[in-house]
Amino acid sequence: MNIIIKNATMKDLRKVQELNLKLFEKEHKEYDSLLNLNWTFGEIGTKYYKDRISKDDGCVLVAITDNKIVGYLCGGLIKTQEYRNLPIVAELENTFVLNKFRSKDIGKKLYNKFIEWCKTKNVGKVKVEASAQNELAIKFYRNNNFKDYSLVLEADL
Ligand SMILES: CC(C)(COP(=O)(O)OP(=O)(O)OC[C@H]1O[C@@H](n2cnc3c(N)ncnc32)[C@H](O)[C@@H]1OP(=O)(O)O)[C@@H](O)C(=O)NCCC(=O)NCCS
């Protein structure tokens, strides 16, 4: 399968949002019923993706096969925690590959391209957050060099 990874443009905005909504629907169903399914296409979500596509500190990549976008990755530079001595930090904020195209290295290709972008920005550390129950995604990240750093716990009152 011939896969092309390219930077998303504003023309791809809607498709990227559609894939993000699929990610939200999956996570909402499987791990987090508090996820706001109206965020992606709402004002804030739309601004987030427009900024990530168009601004210098953002990186949105799409994976294309047979002229069809089958996956995306969105990330960018983030504020560092002042209480740690950190280099420039980027976050892989969300990524999704359509079910039928998974386990064909598309996720890895998107990630590798993101790392190339990070290097152009002199990034020294990349972070990613995942739902604690999303074992497959965590496995994917661990296979791509991420090490466990912190665990966020929540209690309902
Ligand atoms: C995580 C994801 C982007 C990786 O993309 P991919 O194209 O499948 O990635 P690769 O082919 O490079 O790597 C495959 C590995 O990803 C992992 N993986 C993560 N989620 C998976 C899923 N839902 N289905 C299959 N494999 C998954 C597995 O470890 C798999 O390894 P295997 O093929 O040996 O089983 C993609 O699987 C996906 O969209 N998953 C659902 C959404 C998600 O969990 N996103 C991350 C949260 S932000």
Side-chain angles (χ1 to χ4, degrees), residues 32-157:
D32 186 0
S33 60
L34 297 177
L35 269 185
N36 177 3
L37 298 178
N38 295 318
W39 177 85
T40 306
F41 280 100
E43 205 179 313
I44 298 172
T46 300
K47 180 175 179 337
Y48 163 76
Y49 282 107
K50 280 185 177 167
D51 283 352
R52 279 309 195 206
I53 289 173
S54 64
K55 293 194 173 170
D56 237 29
D57 62 354
C59 174
V60 182
L61 302 166
V62 287
I64 300 172
T65 184
D66 290 334
N67 287 322
K68 190 174 168 268
I69 293 178
V70 297
Y72 85 101
L73 182 151
C74 177
L77 305 184
I78 55 163
K79 282 208 184 104
T80 53
Q81 300 137 312
E82 284 122 12
Y83 54 88
R84 293 175 79 204
N85 292 316
L86 285 168
I88 297 174
V89 180
E91 180 163 356
L92 191 179
E93 292 169 328
N94 42 93
T95 184
F96 185 83
V97 171
L98 288 173
N99 212 345
K100 143 169 173 218
F101 295 90
R102 288 188 196 148
S103 292
K104 298 179 194 303
D105 268 1
I106 297 175
K108 192 180 190 61
K109 287 188 171 117
L110 284 164
Y111 174 68
N112 287 342
K113 194 85 177 172
F114 178 59
I115 295 304
E116 275 177 32
W117 175 83
C118 287
K119 287 186 177 160
T120 68
K121 302 286 176 196
N122 294 317
V123 167
K125 194 181 271 297
V126 183
K127 71 172 273 193
V128 66
E129 276 183 33
S131 300
Q133 294 148 285
N134 192 351
E135 288 171 16
L136 283 171
I138 292 169
K139 186 174 160 215
F140 169 79
Y141 294 131
R142 286 187 184 135
N143 283 342
N144 285 288
N145 282 338
F146 286 93
K147 308 256 179 316
D148 298 14
Y149 164 61
S150 81
L151 179 64
V152 177
L153 297 97
E154 292 183 348
D156 288 324
L157 304 182

